PDB file of all heavy atoms in Angstrom:
ATOM      1  N   ILE A 793      21.542  -6.943   9.986  1.00 72.00           N
ATOM      2  CA  ILE A 793      20.841  -5.697   9.658  1.00 72.00           C
ATOM      3  C   ILE A 793      19.381  -5.762  10.038  1.00 72.00           C
ATOM      4  O   ILE A 793      18.740  -4.722  10.190  1.00 72.00           O
ATOM      5  CB  ILE A 793      20.964  -5.376   8.146  1.00 72.00           C
ATOM      6  CG1 ILE A 793      20.282  -6.438   7.293  1.00 72.00           C
ATOM      7  CG2 ILE A 793      22.420  -5.248   7.748  1.00 72.00           C
ATOM      8  CD1 ILE A 793      20.265  -6.124   5.811  1.00 72.00           C
ATOM      9  N   TYR A 794      18.826  -6.991  10.226  1.00 75.00           N
ATOM     10  CA  TYR A 794      17.447  -7.089  10.624  1.00 75.00           C
ATOM     11  C   TYR A 794      17.277  -6.833  12.100  1.00 75.00           C
ATOM     12  O   TYR A 794      16.135  -6.714  12.579  1.00 75.00           O
ATOM     13  CB  TYR A 794      16.886  -8.479  10.235  1.00 75.00           C
ATOM     14  CG  TYR A 794      16.774  -8.666   8.746  1.00 75.00           C
ATOM     15  CD1 TYR A 794      17.724  -9.392   8.057  1.00 75.00           C
ATOM     16  CD2 TYR A 794      15.745  -8.081   8.037  1.00 75.00           C
ATOM     17  CE1 TYR A 794      17.629  -9.568   6.690  1.00 75.00           C
ATOM     18  CE2 TYR A 794      15.665  -8.236   6.666  1.00 75.00           C
ATOM     19  CZ  TYR A 794      16.610  -8.977   5.989  1.00 75.00           C
ATOM     20  OH  TYR A 794      16.506  -9.123   4.634  1.00 75.00           O
ATOM     21  N   LEU A 795      18.376  -6.781  12.829  1.00 79.00           N
ATOM     22  CA  LEU A 795      18.298  -6.359  14.223  1.00 79.00           C
ATOM     23  C   LEU A 795      18.741  -4.898  14.241  1.00 79.00           C
ATOM     24  O   LEU A 795      19.914  -4.574  14.459  1.00 79.00           O
ATOM     25  CB  LEU A 795      19.227  -7.236  15.095  1.00 79.00           C
ATOM     26  CG  LEU A 795      18.831  -8.705  15.248  1.00 79.00           C
ATOM     27  CD1 LEU A 795      19.839  -9.438  16.085  1.00 79.00           C
ATOM     28  CD2 LEU A 795      17.433  -8.859  15.815  1.00 79.00           C
ATOM     29  N   THR A 796      17.790  -4.020  14.035  1.00 85.00           N
ATOM     30  CA  THR A 796      18.113  -2.587  13.951  1.00 85.00           C
ATOM     31  C   THR A 796      18.625  -2.084  15.290  1.00 85.00           C
ATOM     32  O   THR A 796      18.382  -2.672  16.350  1.00 85.00           O
ATOM     33  CB  THR A 796      16.848  -1.810  13.536  1.00 85.00           C
ATOM     34  OG1 THR A 796      17.166  -0.413  13.499  1.00 85.00           O
ATOM     35  CG2 THR A 796      15.726  -2.033  14.493  1.00 85.00           C
ATOM     36  N   GLU A 797      19.362  -0.984  15.276  1.00 86.00           N
ATOM     37  CA  GLU A 797      19.997  -0.487  16.479  1.00 86.00           C
ATOM     38  C   GLU A 797      19.042  -0.211  17.608  1.00 86.00           C
ATOM     39  O   GLU A 797      19.292  -0.598  18.768  1.00 86.00           O
ATOM     40  CB  GLU A 797      20.826   0.767  16.155  1.00 86.00           C
ATOM     41  CG  GLU A 797      21.604   1.272  17.343  1.00 86.00           C
ATOM     42  CD  GLU A 797      22.415   2.527  17.032  1.00 86.00           C
ATOM     43  OE1 GLU A 797      22.364   2.982  15.866  1.00 86.00           O
ATOM     44  OE2 GLU A 797      23.076   3.034  17.925  1.00 86.00           O
ATOM     45  N   PRO A 798      17.911   0.462  17.364  1.00 91.00           N
ATOM     46  CA  PRO A 798      16.943   0.654  18.481  1.00 91.00           C
ATOM     47  C   PRO A 798      16.448  -0.675  19.077  1.00 91.00           C
ATOM     48  O   PRO A 798      16.260  -0.775  20.297  1.00 91.00           O
ATOM     49  CB  PRO A 798      15.781   1.437  17.851  1.00 91.00           C
ATOM     50  CG  PRO A 798      16.402   2.120  16.660  1.00 91.00           C
ATOM     51  CD  PRO A 798      17.450   1.189  16.182  1.00 91.00           C
ATOM     52  N   LEU A 799      16.289  -1.682  18.224  1.00 91.00           N
ATOM     53  CA  LEU A 799      15.834  -2.992  18.723  1.00 91.00           C
ATOM     54  C   LEU A 799      16.913  -3.586  19.647  1.00 91.00           C
ATOM     55  O   LEU A 799      16.594  -4.077  20.725  1.00 91.00           O
ATOM     56  CB  LEU A 799      15.552  -3.912  17.535  1.00 91.00           C
ATOM     57  CG  LEU A 799      14.958  -5.291  17.874  1.00 91.00           C
ATOM     58  CD1 LEU A 799      14.093  -5.760  16.685  1.00 91.00           C
ATOM     59  CD2 LEU A 799      16.020  -6.366  18.124  1.00 91.00           C
ATOM     60  N   VAL A 800      18.162  -3.570  19.179  1.00 87.00           N
ATOM     61  CA  VAL A 800      19.243  -4.168  19.981  1.00 87.00           C
ATOM     62  C   VAL A 800      19.406  -3.405  21.290  1.00 87.00           C
ATOM     63  O   VAL A 800      19.588  -4.009  22.353  1.00 87.00           O
ATOM     64  CB  VAL A 800      20.560  -4.163  19.160  1.00 87.00           C
ATOM     65  CG1 VAL A 800      21.716  -4.624  20.038  1.00 87.00           C
ATOM     66  CG2 VAL A 800      20.411  -5.084  17.966  1.00 87.00           C
ATOM     67  N   ARG A 801      19.343  -2.100  21.242  1.00 90.00           N
ATOM     68  CA  ARG A 801      19.562  -1.292  22.459  1.00 90.00           C
ATOM     69  C   ARG A 801      18.407  -1.482  23.421  1.00 90.00           C
ATOM     70  O   ARG A 801      18.616  -1.567  24.657  1.00 90.00           O
ATOM     71  CB  ARG A 801      19.759   0.171  22.088  1.00 90.00           C
ATOM     72  CG  ARG A 801      21.070   0.419  21.366  1.00 90.00           C
ATOM     73  CD  ARG A 801      21.204   1.849  20.898  1.00 90.00           C
ATOM     74  NE  ARG A 801      21.454   2.780  21.962  1.00 90.00           N
ATOM     75  CZ  ARG A 801      22.629   3.059  22.461  1.00 90.00           C
ATOM     76  NH1 ARG A 801      23.720   2.475  21.969  1.00 90.00           N
ATOM     77  NH2 ARG A 801      22.792   3.927  23.428  1.00 90.00           N
ATOM     78  N   GLY A 802      17.190  -1.560  22.936  1.00 92.00           N
ATOM     79  CA  GLY A 802      16.052  -1.840  23.827  1.00 92.00           C
ATOM     80  C   GLY A 802      16.149  -3.248  24.388  1.00 92.00           C
ATOM     81  O   GLY A 802      15.864  -3.477  25.578  1.00 92.00           O
ATOM     82  N   PHE A 803      16.590  -4.190  23.581  1.00 90.00           N
ATOM     83  CA  PHE A 803      16.742  -5.588  24.017  1.00 90.00           C
ATOM     84  C   PHE A 803      17.817  -5.713  25.101  1.00 90.00           C
ATOM     85  O   PHE A 803      17.601  -6.355  26.132  1.00 90.00           O
ATOM     86  CB  PHE A 803      17.067  -6.469  22.829  1.00 90.00           C
ATOM     87  CG  PHE A 803      17.316  -7.893  23.164  1.00 90.00           C
ATOM     88  CD1 PHE A 803      16.277  -8.771  23.417  1.00 90.00           C
ATOM     89  CD2 PHE A 803      18.625  -8.396  23.226  1.00 90.00           C
ATOM     90  CE1 PHE A 803      16.498 -10.099  23.720  1.00 90.00           C
ATOM     91  CE2 PHE A 803      18.845  -9.706  23.556  1.00 90.00           C
ATOM     92  CZ  PHE A 803      17.795 -10.573  23.781  1.00 90.00           C
ATOM     93  N   THR A 804      18.958  -5.089  24.864  1.00 87.00           N
ATOM     94  CA  THR A 804      20.053  -5.203  25.846  1.00 87.00           C
ATOM     95  C   THR A 804      19.710  -4.434  27.151  1.00 87.00           C
ATOM     96  O   THR A 804      20.151  -4.869  28.235  1.00 87.00           O
ATOM     97  CB  THR A 804      21.357  -4.663  25.256  1.00 87.00           C
ATOM     98  OG1 THR A 804      21.155  -3.337  24.720  1.00 87.00           O
ATOM     99  CG2 THR A 804      21.852  -5.532  24.143  1.00 87.00           C
ATOM    100  N   THR A 805      18.955  -3.363  27.050  1.00 91.00           N
ATOM    101  CA  THR A 805      18.510  -2.685  28.271  1.00 91.00           C
ATOM    102  C   THR A 805      17.567  -3.563  29.062  1.00 91.00           C
ATOM    103  O   THR A 805      17.654  -3.656  30.293  1.00 91.00           O
ATOM    104  CB  THR A 805      17.817  -1.353  27.927  1.00 91.00           C
ATOM    105  OG1 THR A 805      18.655  -0.575  27.104  1.00 91.00           O
ATOM    106  CG2 THR A 805      17.481  -0.566  29.184  1.00 91.00           C
ATOM    107  N   ALA A 806      16.680  -4.255  28.377  1.00 92.00           N
ATOM    108  CA  ALA A 806      15.811  -5.208  29.032  1.00 92.00           C
ATOM    109  C   ALA A 806      16.592  -6.349  29.665  1.00 92.00           C
ATOM    110  O   ALA A 806      16.303  -6.831  30.772  1.00 92.00           O
ATOM    111  CB  ALA A 806      14.775  -5.776  28.053  1.00 92.00           C
ATOM    112  N   ALA A 807      17.623  -6.809  28.942  1.00 88.00           N
ATOM    113  CA  ALA A 807      18.499  -7.863  29.502  1.00 88.00           C
ATOM    114  C   ALA A 807      19.177  -7.363  30.757  1.00 88.00           C
ATOM    115  O   ALA A 807      19.370  -8.131  31.724  1.00 88.00           O
ATOM    116  CB  ALA A 807      19.545  -8.284  28.459  1.00 88.00           C
ATOM    117  N   ALA A 808      19.558  -6.074  30.787  1.00 89.00           N
ATOM    118  CA  ALA A 808      20.180  -5.527  32.002  1.00 89.00           C
ATOM    119  C   ALA A 808      19.193  -5.562  33.174  1.00 89.00           C
ATOM    120  O   ALA A 808      19.609  -5.822  34.322  1.00 89.00           O
ATOM    121  CB  ALA A 808      20.616  -4.088  31.739  1.00 89.00           C
ATOM    122  N   VAL A 809      17.928  -5.350  32.880  1.00 92.00           N
ATOM    123  CA  VAL A 809      16.915  -5.442  33.952  1.00 92.00           C
ATOM    124  C   VAL A 809      16.832  -6.890  34.474  1.00 92.00           C
ATOM    125  O   VAL A 809      16.825  -7.136  35.687  1.00 92.00           O
ATOM    126  CB  VAL A 809      15.527  -4.984  33.420  1.00 92.00           C
ATOM    127  CG1 VAL A 809      14.451  -5.252  34.469  1.00 92.00           C
ATOM    128  CG2 VAL A 809      15.553  -3.528  33.055  1.00 92.00           C
ATOM    129  N   HIS A 810      16.781  -7.838  33.560  1.00 90.00           N
ATOM    130  CA  HIS A 810      16.756  -9.274  33.949  1.00 90.00           C
ATOM    131  C   HIS A 810      17.996  -9.636  34.782  1.00 90.00           C
ATOM    132  O   HIS A 810      17.892 -10.322  35.805  1.00 90.00           O
ATOM    133  CB  HIS A 810      16.701 -10.144  32.699  1.00 90.00           C
ATOM    134  CG  HIS A 810      15.338 -10.291  32.123  1.00 90.00           C
ATOM    135  ND1 HIS A 810      14.410 -11.184  32.594  1.00 90.00           N
ATOM    136  CD2 HIS A 810      14.743  -9.651  31.105  1.00 90.00           C
ATOM    137  CE1 HIS A 810      13.303 -11.105  31.892  1.00 90.00           C
ATOM    138  NE2 HIS A 810      13.473 -10.159  30.953  1.00 90.00           N
ATOM    139  N   VAL A 811      19.173  -9.190  34.310  1.00 88.00           N
ATOM    140  CA  VAL A 811      20.421  -9.537  35.031  1.00 88.00           C
ATOM    141  C   VAL A 811      20.417  -8.920  36.419  1.00 88.00           C
ATOM    142  O   VAL A 811      20.760  -9.588  37.416  1.00 88.00           O
ATOM    143  CB  VAL A 811      21.623  -9.066  34.203  1.00 88.00           C
ATOM    144  CG1 VAL A 811      22.878  -9.232  35.018  1.00 88.00           C
ATOM    145  CG2 VAL A 811      21.708  -9.799  32.893  1.00 88.00           C
ATOM    146  N   SER A 812      20.017  -7.668  36.517  1.00 90.00           N
ATOM    147  CA  SER A 812      20.006  -6.970  37.828  1.00 90.00           C
ATOM    148  C   SER A 812      19.083  -7.689  38.788  1.00 90.00           C
ATOM    149  O   SER A 812      19.430  -7.922  39.968  1.00 90.00           O
ATOM    150  CB  SER A 812      19.584  -5.518  37.634  1.00 90.00           C
ATOM    151  OG  SER A 812      20.481  -4.827  36.809  1.00 90.00           O
ATOM    152  N   VAL A 813      17.885  -8.020  38.292  1.00 91.00           N
ATOM    153  CA  VAL A 813      16.925  -8.706  39.188  1.00 91.00           C
ATOM    154  C   VAL A 813      17.464 -10.067  39.615  1.00 91.00           C
ATOM    155  O   VAL A 813      17.290 -10.464  40.773  1.00 91.00           O
ATOM    156  CB  VAL A 813      15.564  -8.857  38.446  1.00 91.00           C
ATOM    157  CG1 VAL A 813      14.616  -9.748  39.234  1.00 91.00           C
ATOM    158  CG2 VAL A 813      14.926  -7.484  38.256  1.00 91.00           C
ATOM    159  N   SER A 814      18.126 -10.777  38.710  1.00 88.00           N
ATOM    160  CA  SER A 814      18.648 -12.097  39.059  1.00 88.00           C
ATOM    161  C   SER A 814      19.782 -12.019  40.059  1.00 88.00           C
ATOM    162  O   SER A 814      20.063 -13.008  40.722  1.00 88.00           O
ATOM    163  CB  SER A 814      19.118 -12.807  37.786  1.00 88.00           C
ATOM    164  OG  SER A 814      20.307 -12.206  37.278  1.00 88.00           O
ATOM    165  N   GLN A 815      20.431 -10.853  40.190  1.00 88.00           N
ATOM    166  CA  GLN A 815      21.582 -10.747  41.103  1.00 88.00           C
ATOM    167  C   GLN A 815      21.190 -10.184  42.466  1.00 88.00           C
ATOM    168  O   GLN A 815      22.016 -10.175  43.392  1.00 88.00           O
ATOM    169  CB  GLN A 815      22.640  -9.829  40.468  1.00 88.00           C
ATOM    170  CG  GLN A 815      23.261 -10.371  39.220  1.00 88.00           C
ATOM    171  CD  GLN A 815      23.799 -11.770  39.378  1.00 88.00           C
ATOM    172  OE1 GLN A 815      24.692 -12.001  40.182  1.00 88.00           O
ATOM    173  NE2 GLN A 815      23.229 -12.711  38.645  1.00 88.00           N
ATOM    174  N   ILE A 816      19.943  -9.752  42.615  1.00 91.00           N
ATOM    175  CA  ILE A 816      19.516  -9.198  43.912  1.00 91.00           C
ATOM    176  C   ILE A 816      19.635 -10.247  45.019  1.00 91.00           C
ATOM    177  O   ILE A 816      20.080  -9.952  46.140  1.00 91.00           O
ATOM    178  CB  ILE A 816      18.078  -8.634  43.823  1.00 91.00           C
ATOM    179  CG1 ILE A 816      18.042  -7.428  42.893  1.00 91.00           C
ATOM    180  CG2 ILE A 816      17.568  -8.254  45.200  1.00 91.00           C
ATOM    181  CD1 ILE A 816      16.650  -6.858  42.683  1.00 91.00           C
ATOM    182  N   LYS A 817      19.277 -11.486  44.717  1.00 90.00           N
ATOM    183  CA  LYS A 817      19.320 -12.522  45.757  1.00 90.00           C
ATOM    184  C   LYS A 817      20.736 -12.792  46.231  1.00 90.00           C
ATOM    185  O   LYS A 817      20.984 -13.065  47.410  1.00 90.00           O
ATOM    186  CB  LYS A 817      18.647 -13.798  45.277  1.00 90.00           C
ATOM    187  CG  LYS A 817      19.370 -14.480  44.104  1.00 90.00           C
ATOM    188  CD  LYS A 817      18.638 -15.747  43.742  1.00 90.00           C
ATOM    189  CE  LYS A 817      19.357 -16.520  42.638  1.00 90.00           C
ATOM    190  NZ  LYS A 817      18.664 -17.790  42.291  1.00 90.00           N
TER     191      LYS A 817
END
Side-chain angles (χ1 to χ4, degrees):
I793 64 176
Y794 292 101
L795 294 179
T796 178
E797 184 180 0
L799 186 151
V800 172
R801 292 175 73 86
F803 177 79
T804 52
T805 307
V809 173
H810 279 278
V811 173
S812 299
V813 171
S814 71
Q815 296 307 298
I816 293 176
K817 65 178 183 179

